[in-house]
Amino acid sequence: MEQYSTRQNKISRLIQREMAEILLKVNKERFPGKLLSVTGVRITKDLSIARIHLSIFPSEFAKEILEEIKLTGKQLRGELGRKTGKSLRVIPDLEFYIDDSLDYIDNIDNLLKK
């Protein structure tokens, strides 16, 4: 398992907190009735790429919501830069992924009940 430095962990937590606020606004405007949350952020060693894991509920809309978020990635990065400009010297590129761990857990529960 890859070890993350203290700096990577601090930046990951900062980005997770700020992206959660940004995506909360996006969610209200573009995806009413859907639940969108940032479950985790991992940043590369050179601090150039932030991999953001999103949990989307209901999960049948996850792929289309993820595609729309990826299309607006540059605007989201700009907004992140405005919010964290005093804390970060370089704003990392953003990569978005679906965190399907809740679906996985639900599937295991259903299999165990059978």
Side-chain angles (χ1 to χ4, degrees), residues 32-36 55-65 103:
K34 315 283 189 304
L35 180 63
L36 180 64
S55 177
I56 302 170
F57 185 81
S59 59
E60 58 263 11
F61 300 107
K63 292 213 185 299
E64 61 192 51
I65 290 174
D103 293 335

Side-chain angles (χ1 to χ4, degrees), residues 76-100:
L76 294 174
R77 183 174 180 244
E79 183 65 26
L80 180 66
R82 282 187 282 283
K83 287 180 156 283
T84 62
K86 304 287 184 198
S87 302
L88 298 177
R89 187 173 31 157
V90 177
I91 306 303
D93 290 331
L94 305 178
E95 293 179 356
F96 295 96
Y97 299 95
I98 294 177
D99 181 10
D100 57 355

Side-chain angles (χ1 to χ4, degrees), residues 65-81:
I65 290 174
L66 182 67
E67 287 304 316
E68 190 166 337
I69 288 173
K70 284 182 178 180
L71 289 175
T72 61
K74 297 291 184 189
Q75 291 92 358
L76 294 174
R77 183 174 180 244
E79 183 65 26
L80 180 66

Side-chain angles (χ1 to χ4, degrees), residues 3 7 12 21 24 34 36 39 52 65:
Q3 291 291 327
R7 178 96 174 124
S12 293
E21 289 180 21
L24 181 65
K34 315 283 189 304
L36 180 64
T39 56
I52 300 171
I65 290 174

